[in-house]
């Protein structure tokens, strides 16, 4: 009996310790299984001319696995692609982009951006543009992005 | 050098003119534009760096066609005036419109007399597609007083190079898309000596321009 009780106590203690142990580690290695994505800060620039414009957003991944942004679609334009502005000032189409575990993918001026070419309409400040983001693992996320003036900076008010 | 460029973005840092070329390649990181998915500061809005040259750059000889279809001799027609100059192209949805909008918003805040003194010149790096007419339309969205210049690419490239800016000839790719590039910085010419004393790297905000423009216009920067 004593041994069983001792064994049980040891088991409980071990379990308790394990529980404490993982709590002590904090949330670094925890978090939902797989990627867990949220999109914030989305906006589309009001362009000077009706032929093309750029869009931006931040994807935050609180999950423990990475994911990949594979495409962005929108009814705003014929062609919607993600481009990057390189240090030499040229732009190229960016392939699928990683959204790291416990990390972010940031699209911003001077870096990655969504390029809309062949606009069906010229977006105006105050309007909304709908974008659907598709991923390798996660379900698609649809974002309603406000149209902002060309000089807008996230965090500006 | 890298440390200097990463210094407080709003402090003008004296550097050698020769190092201006280095600024072109370092700009992306200096203004936080490098796409980096896991940097903790990824959400910080980027701002540019104001660089003061301790060897000011002379205004290049450049005669192109302006956005109203007239011959425009840069040296003659902006002599004694404060000038902001940028090399860009209109099929650029990201940096170019933002740069011009930031400048335009700062210009709008100036007293009328100062607005009238300042010249803002946009030189296209894509003259085949950016005709004077197109430049005029594109620039009008920011400020109808901005001047657009379009013309011989080699002359444009030479002028840009003399100002520490590397532009490549636009290339049409197999899939029909174009590869064009734009300068990474806005150049400010002083009315006192018609030379570049200040350079503003990509991402410089309206607030940063607003702080410096009155001094530039006065010839004090």
């Amino acid at each position: 009996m004593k041994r069983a009780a001792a064994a049980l106590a040891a088991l409980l203690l071990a379990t308790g310790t394990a529980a404490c142990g993982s709590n002590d580690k904090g949330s670094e290695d925890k978090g939902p299984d797989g990627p867990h994505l949220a999109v914030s800060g989305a906006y589309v620039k009001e362009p000077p001319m009706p032929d093309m414009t750029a869009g931006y957003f931040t994807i935050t991944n609180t999950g423990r696995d990475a994911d990949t942004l594979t495409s962005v679609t929108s009814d705003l334009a014929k062609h919607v692609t993600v481009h990057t502005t390189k240090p030499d000032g040229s732009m190229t189409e960016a392939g699928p982009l990683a959204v790291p575990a416990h990390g972010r993918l940031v699209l911003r001026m001077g870096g990655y951006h969504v390029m809309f070419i062949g606009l069906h309409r010229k977006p105006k400040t105050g309007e909304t543009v709908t974008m659907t983001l598709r991923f390798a693992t996660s379900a698609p996320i649809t974002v309603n992005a406000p149209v902002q003036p060309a000089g807008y900076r996230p965090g500006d008010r | 050098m890298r440390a200097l460029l990463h210094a407080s973005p709003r402090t003008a840092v004296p550097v050698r003119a020769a190092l201006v070329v280095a600024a072109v390649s370092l700009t992306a990181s200096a203004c936080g534009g490098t796409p980096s998915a896991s940097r903790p500061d990824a959400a910080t809005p980027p701002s540019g760096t104001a660089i003061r040259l301790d060897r000011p750059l002379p205004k290049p000889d450049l005669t192109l066609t302006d956005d109203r279809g007239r011959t425009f001799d840069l040296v003659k027609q902006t002599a004694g005036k404060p000038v902001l100059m940028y090399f860009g192209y209109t099929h650029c949805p990201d940096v170019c419109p933002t740069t011009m909008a930031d400048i335009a918003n700062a210009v709008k805040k100036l007293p009328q007399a100062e607005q009238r003194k300042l010249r803002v010149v946009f030189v296209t790096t894509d003259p085949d597609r950016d005709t004077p007419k197109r430049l005029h339309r594109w620039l009008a969205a920011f400020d109808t007083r901005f001047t657009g210049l379009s013309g011989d690419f080699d002359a444009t490239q030479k002028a840009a190079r003399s100002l520490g800016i590397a532009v490549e000839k636009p290339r049409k790719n197999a899939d029909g898309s174009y590869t064009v590039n734009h300068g990474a910085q806005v150049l400010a010419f002083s009315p006192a000596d018609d030379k570049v004393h200040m350079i503003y790297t990509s991402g410089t905000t309206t607030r940063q321009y607003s702080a410096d423009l009155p001094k530039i216009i006065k010839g004090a920067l």
Side-chain angles (χ1 to χ4, degrees):
Chain A
M1 280 303 281
K2 246 195 183 164
R3 223 182 267 163
L8 188 62
L11 183 65
L12 283 171
L13 197 63
T15 312
T17 306
C20 283
S22 47
N23 281 343
D24 281 347
K25 272 186 175 175
S27 57
E28 285 290 312
D29 300 326
K30 280 283 164 178
D33 263 344
H36 188 77
L37 307 181
V39 179
S40 62
Y43 70 100
V44 171
K45 263 221 259 286
E46 175 173 346
M49 292 177 80
D51 53 4
M52 61 168 59
T53 194
Y56 310 86
F57 47 74
T58 295
I59 305 173
T60 303
N61 184 357
T62 52
R64 67 171 85 173
D65 292 310
D67 205 338
T68 306
L69 175 71
T70 54
S71 74
V72 179
T73 56
S74 172
D75 63 359
L76 177 66
K78 282 203 199 82
H79 304 288
V80 183
T81 49
V82 179
H83 272 75
T84 181
T85 299
K86 299 199 294 189
D88 72 355
S90 65
M91 261 195 328
T92 54
E93 194 166 334
L97 296 176
V99 190
H102 300 301
R104 284 183 206 178
L105 174 63
V106 183
L107 275 65
R108 64 148 73 98
M109 192 271 240
Y112 293 129
H113 51 277
V114 179
M115 191 143 123
F116 301 87
I117 302 181
L119 302 179
H120 295 310
R121 67 177 199 280
K122 186 180 176 196
K124 292 216 158 41
T125 299
E127 291 177 351
T128 300
V129 172
T130 303
M131 292 187 269
T132 299
L133 283 56
R134 287 187 170 77
F135 304 92
T137 306
S138 306
I141 298 176
T142 296
V143 180
N144 292 318
V147 180
Q148 300 284 5
Y152 169 80
R153 291 290 196 291
D156 279 0
R157 284 290 164 259
Chain B
M1 181 71 254
R2 209 175 268 273
L4 281 177
L5 283 180
H6 276 93
S8 162
R10 298 187 50 182
T11 306
V13 177
V15 296
R16 289 259 205 85
L19 292 169
V20 166
V21 175
V24 175
S25 54
L26 289 171
T27 291
S29 42
C31 72
T34 307
S36 170
S38 53
R39 278 197 308 186
D41 64 349
T44 311
S47 62
T49 305
I51 302 172
R52 179 183 291 127
L53 304 179
D54 51 44
R55 237 188 280 157
L57 297 167
K59 197 174 284 175
D61 248 315
L62 187 59
T63 299
L64 297 171
T65 307
D66 74 9
D67 59 292
R68 284 166 209 265
R70 304 168 300 202
T71 303
F72 192 95
D73 178 329
L74 180 68
V75 169
K76 278 209 183 88
Q77 290 174 249
T78 63
K81 299 194 165 66
V83 180
L84 288 184
M85 176 179 280
Y86 183 70
F87 290 83
Y89 61 103
T90 69
H91 287 86
C92 157
D94 177 37
V95 174
C96 302
T98 309
T99 300
M100 300 318 287
D102 290 334
I103 293 172
N105 289 335
V107 169
K108 278 194 210 8
K109 295 199 172 97
L110 295 169
Q112 282 298 323
E114 290 188 15
Q115 292 191 33
R116 279 194 294 270
K117 286 194 191 128
L118 180 68
R119 294 289 180 273
V120 179
V121 179
F122 180 90
V123 185
T124 183
T125 56
D126 188 10
D128 283 346
R129 289 188 299 171
D130 285 345
T131 59
K133 256 212 190 91
R134 182 173 168 95
L135 279 183
H136 186 74
R137 255 186 94 194
W138 193 83
L139 287 169
F142 307 106
D143 192 316
T144 53
R145 296 165 297 185
F146 288 2
T147 298
L149 296 181
S150 173
D152 180 65
F153 180 79
D154 291 340
T156 301
Q157 186 185 47
K158 190 167 172 220
R161 195 179 295 134
S162 77
L163 296 167
I165 296 173
V167 295
E168 300 307 317
K169 204 175 189 100
R171 283 194 324 269
K172 190 167 184 183
N173 305 312
D175 64 356
S177 66
Y178 282 81
T179 299
V180 192
N181 68 346
H182 53 73
Q185 52 264 58
V186 171
L187 309 153
F189 292 84
S190 166
D193 60 5
D194 290 324
K195 291 192 175 151
V196 180
H197 292 251
M198 295 298 298
I199 287 181
Y200 298 89
T201 64
S202 184
T204 298
T205 61
T206 296
R207 196 173 302 137
Q208 290 169 296
Y209 284 122
S210 285
D212 282 5
L213 275 177
K215 297 179 227 163
I216 290 170
I217 292 170
K218 222 184 295 180
L221 208 59

